[in-house]
């Protein structure tokens, strides 16, 4: 995408789609497995090993938690999730047959549930009193939600996050996943970050992704994925999700760089595209593997040109989806 970028992501184009090949191959193998079980199985295992290790060409390395808080450009990232009262489709098994899992879909994500959290809400700007109310994030208190940022021309982060989330949902459903969005721009504001987190938890999500874009000074460019720090306090206990969330985040970062051509953020994360934070309610309160992705900087003209492009947003959604498939599909 960004042809004029002087610093393309290291070896981003060189790696051949990390996740795809082995899925495709796997299904082929499954067909023939009856015939040549031993050989095919060995080949499959080998393929998996190779895919696993080679997958993240630019697999960013983890970052010390200290890096997280306070770096520029994160003020807007909050998260949350949960439409009150809309107990998603999680438990919507019709009462007929005693068959446990309907799992109608096929694909590498069949039987998996992914919760997608479009950051902010376009109505938040008009409901500042409501979103400013304090909520308990376990380790402290924070605003219920925030307005998010905008590009200099007024394209709202909340519009961006909702658009990418819908594209992401379509991409994930195409892979067989059940997808739950934390909101669909069908409410005047919010939901609060506590509610956003609860939706992922109550859906027993296999993975949760909160979609955002940053709003920092021009010249700061690129994407980063935010991973939960290990925190414990009140309702917050991330000890069980720190590791899987990191794997999820690394998968997403690698694939996002590949599909979009974007480089990891040049203003935080030491070029890894990964940042650990302990101050986000949406992460602190999650009991399911979860990350945030800041897809780019809305206040930088070059990044904004990408973020406002539907074609680029499709690539962004595809990269996130591929990362989730890599995380869950194996
Ligand atoms: Zn945001």
């Amino acid at each position: 995408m960004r042809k004029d970028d002087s610093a393309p992501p290291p070896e981003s184009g060189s790696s051949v789609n990390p996740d795809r090949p082995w899925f495709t191959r796997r299904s082929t193998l499954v067909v023939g497995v009856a015939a040549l079980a031993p050989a095919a199985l060995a080949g499959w295992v080998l393929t998996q090993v190779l895919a696993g290790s080679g997958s993240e060409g630019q697999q960013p390395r983890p970052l010390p938690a200290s890096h997280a808080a306070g770096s520029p450009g994160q003020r807007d990232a909050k998260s949350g999730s949960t439409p009150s009262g809309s107990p998603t489709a999680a438990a919507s098994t019709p009462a007929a047959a005693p068959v446990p899992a309907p799992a109608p879909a096929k694909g590498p994500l069949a039987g998996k549930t992914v919760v997608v959290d479009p950051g902010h809400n376009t109505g938040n700007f008009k409901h500042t009193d409501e979103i400013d109310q304090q909520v308990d994030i376990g380790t402290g208190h924070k605003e219920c939600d925030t307005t998010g940022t905008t590009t200099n021309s007024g394209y709202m982060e909340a519009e961006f996050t909702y658009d990418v989330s819908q594209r992401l949902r379509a991409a994930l459903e195409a892979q067989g996943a059940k997808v739950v969005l934390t909101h669909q721009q069908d409410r005047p504001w919010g939901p609060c970050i506590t509610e956003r987190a609860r939706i992922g938890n109550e859906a027993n999500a296999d993975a949760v992704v909160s979609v955002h874009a940053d709003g920092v000074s021009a010249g700061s460019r690129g994407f980063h994925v935010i991973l939960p720090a290990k925190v414990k306090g009140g309702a917050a206990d991330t000890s069980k999700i720190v590791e899987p969330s990191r794997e999820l985040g690394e998968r997403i970062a690698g694939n996002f760089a590949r599909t979009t051509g974007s480089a990891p953020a040049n203003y935080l994360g030491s070029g890894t595209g990964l940042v650990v934070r302990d101050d986000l309610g949406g992460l602190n309160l999650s009991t399911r593997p979860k990350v945030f992705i800041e897809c780019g900087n809305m206040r930088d003209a070059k990044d904004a040109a990408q973020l406002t492009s539907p074609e680029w947003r499709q690539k962004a959604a595809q990269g996130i989806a591929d990362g989730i498939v890599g995380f869950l599909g194996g």
Side-chain angles (χ1 to χ4, degrees), residues 76-77 120 157 212-213 294:
D76 88 292
H120 317 285
E157 180 187 353
H212 289 260
E294 298 281 359

Side-chain angles (χ1 to χ4, degrees), residues 247-323:
E247 187 191 339
L248 171 65
E250 289 175 349
R251 293 274 187 175
I252 289 176
N255 282 283
F256 187 89
R258 177 179 53 79
T259 59
T260 63
S262 283
N266 64 6
Y267 57 98
L268 78 185
S270 304
T272 64
L274 296 178
V275 172
V276 175
R277 290 181 62 174
D278 63 5
D279 62 327
L280 297 176
L283 293 181
N284 289 3
L285 297 173
S286 182
T287 58
R288 314 301 303 169
K290 180 171 181 178
V291 299
F292 279 35
I293 181 164
E294 298 281 359
C295 297
N297 175 19
M298 299 195 92
R299 293 291 180 175
D300 177 86
K302 288 180 179 173
D303 271 14
Q306 297 177 327
L307 297 164
T308 54
S309 154
E311 292 76 20
W312 189 89
R313 291 196 297 269
Q314 184 61 35
K315 293 177 183 178
Q318 190 61 54
I320 298 170
D322 289 349

Side-chain angles (χ1 to χ4, degrees), residues 53-74:
S53 56
S55 336
E56 260 70 61
Q58 49 273 103
Q59 183 161 105
R61 239 204 12 189
L63 205 44
S66 59
H67 214 309
S71 359
Q74 342 191 271

